[in-house]
Amino acid sequence: MTARQTTGRVTRRRVRTRANLLDAAFAVFAAKGFGRVSIEEVCEAAGYSRGAFYSNFGSLDELFFALYQERADVIARQVADALAGDGPDLDVPASVDRVTEVLLLDLDWLLVKTDFLVHAARDPAVARTLLEHRARLRRAIADRLSRAQGHTPLPAVLRDGDHAARAVVAAYDGVTTQLLLDKDVNSARAWLKQLLTALLTDGSGHRA
């Protein structure tokens, strides 16, 4: 076996180990709560040693951010795919319909994310990193809205793409908070669709 083949096998095994640790951590966090889980519990659930954990992550916080990025990438792809058919003349109601139909609304993920928000609120360093992730999401939304703004004006109260993106994220946060309590995914999708259409149009479903 050549050195390249050996390296390839090690790399694939490392990627698989990391993925298994992330999957195990997600299940344990969702079941017990982020702040109530130890590294040992994650390792036990994944079937690995602490050494395997530390060869991939420096801490539970680092592991969580890897999870967060993974889910954020999924959401970004869902939104991008839903908007891929739109040219510069963004049809807001139709785009909102497509986005809300495919958007990830996973109760276990929302539980994990909410636990971590509470953790971040008490740790400024963690909060800064989480804020950076949220800012990237807002910038992606703002960029798409701004590119369409010459053809599809936003309501004047939102002022620009950045303010509109903040409103979109706030609407998503509010709807998912309700979803955590009532567990009604269908209602959450319907309510999010109504909110986003009202926010990004004149409120009647027609372009502003």
Side-chain angles (χ1 to χ4, degrees), residues 145 149 153-168 195-202 208:
L145 292 173
Q149 202 167 346
L154 292 168
V157 69
L158 293 178
R159 295 165 50 187
D160 55 31
D162 179 65
H163 285 79
R166 289 178 180 274
V168 167
L195 274 177
L196 294 182
T197 300
L199 277 170
L200 300 176
T201 67
D202 62 3

Side-chain angles (χ1 to χ4, degrees), residues 70-91:
E70 191 175 74
R71 293 305 192 281
D73 287 346
V74 168
I75 292 171
R77 285 195 300 272
Q78 289 174 330
V79 172
D81 289 347
L83 297 178
D86 282 323
D89 188 14
L90 184 66
D91 184 338

